[in-house]
Amino acid sequence: MEGTSPQQPVICVVGPTAVGKTALAVALGQVIGGEIINADSRQIYRGMTIGTAKPSPEELATVPHHLLDIIEPPEPFGVVLFLEQATAVIHEIAERKRLPIICGGTGQYVWGLVEGQSIPAVPPDPEFRAEMEAEAERVGAFNLHLRLAAIDPVRAAALDPRNVRRVIRALEIQRATGRKPSEIGTAKKPSVNAFVLGLTMPRDALYRRIDKRVDRMMSEGFLEEVQSLEEAGHPMGKGPLASPGYRELGHYLQGTLSLEEAVARTKTQTHRLARRQYTWFKPCDPRIRWLDASEPDLHDTAVGIVTSFLENLENRPPVIQ
């Protein structure tokens, strides 16, 4: 990272949706003087607030946040742009003598940063995209996903088969480069010294937490948010608005699902999202220091672990160039 020391520490808070990443990142930021960089691929979009569980106004006022609400839903945003913008923000935070905290469940973003990936910017191929979209209409999105799985099972496992845009993008990258999209980054020496904290909990407990959060989103105005986005000309089910809840509530507004069915499907799709996120953040990954999200003293435990990491960096012998 140009302008930033290779020893610049960065804390990452990762894990599945609804596990409590934001609350932990805010707690860490308060105690250790940090600023939070969003690594959720949906929270970057304006207007998608309730359905993506963005930080509350109180949380935003407590600790500075970055890469939230930066573009409109139709605009594309991927790992290349994330790495460019996150790198710049990390440098700015470091110049203020504060600690960058990466918080989010988009594994491609987090590992791209941690591993020092240099992602080649593959330009869009309109003809190929149109061909693939026509194929998805003709034989179904699932068959397009099967094609990706035959080429790159790792990338396919991380994508919802219904998210045709992202499946096509992965096929587009493979076609342009001849390489697996999951391995497309060129590893270089990481420009950050990242400590990765992972939050997890038993799957049944996580699903119950997800279901309660969906109910809370509905009571907070999720349906009204979807209506507002549609009125602004953003159809549900396309691009980032294919995310859990937006597609389903869009079907309700179109009259093809009852509200009860839409809410139930939102919960089911969010469970599936959590499972996909675990393909990026595996419990056996030695790079991740896992914590039980239901632990009563979770925040104090995490602060102690991060403090020890930072103290060890300060006390280590200097590097001889």
Side-chain angles (χ1 to χ4, degrees), residues 238-273:
K238 293 186 178 181
L241 293 170
S243 303
Y246 292 95
R247 179 194 294 268
E248 289 74 23
L249 291 176
H251 285 312
Y252 164 70
L253 292 175
Q254 294 165 8
T256 57
L257 285 179
S258 70
L259 185 57
E260 183 179 2
E261 289 171 329
V263 171
R265 290 192 185 186
T266 296
K267 293 175 180 178
T268 298
Q269 291 305 319
T270 310
H271 297 174
R272 291 178 179 173
L273 170 61

Side-chain angles (χ1 to χ4, degrees), residues 11-83:
I11 306 302
C12 301
V13 180
V14 304
T17 187
V19 79
K21 298 184 294 295
T22 297
L24 177 57
V26 168
L28 288 172
Q30 287 180 286
V31 174
I32 61 181
E35 298 188 23
I36 297 172
I37 301 172
N38 166 53
D40 182 302
S41 63
R42 301 173 303 155
Q43 290 186 358
I44 62 166
Y45 289 100
R46 289 189 284 270
M48 296 176 64
T49 299
I50 298 172
T52 65
K54 283 178 185 169
S56 67
E58 294 76 19
E59 288 169 328
L60 292 172
T62 300
V63 176
H65 285 68
H66 305 272
L67 301 191
L68 291 170
D69 296 322
I70 59 176
I71 58 175
E72 295 293 327
E75 298 179 43
F77 191 95
V79 65
V80 174
L81 288 175
F82 172 79
L83 293 178

Side-chain angles (χ1 to χ4, degrees), residues 197-213:
L197 276 177
L199 289 184
T200 189
M201 60 171 46
R203 200 64 60 93
D204 288 347
L206 177 62
Y207 291 165
R208 288 194 296 271
R209 182 177 287 196
I210 287 171
D211 293 349
K212 288 181 180 178
R213 189 171 76 171

Side-chain angles (χ1 to χ4, degrees), residues 29 79 97 148 179 210 226 230 293:
V79 65
K97 307 300 182 184
L148 176 60
R179 299 171 61 192
I210 287 171
V226 171
E230 286 206 330

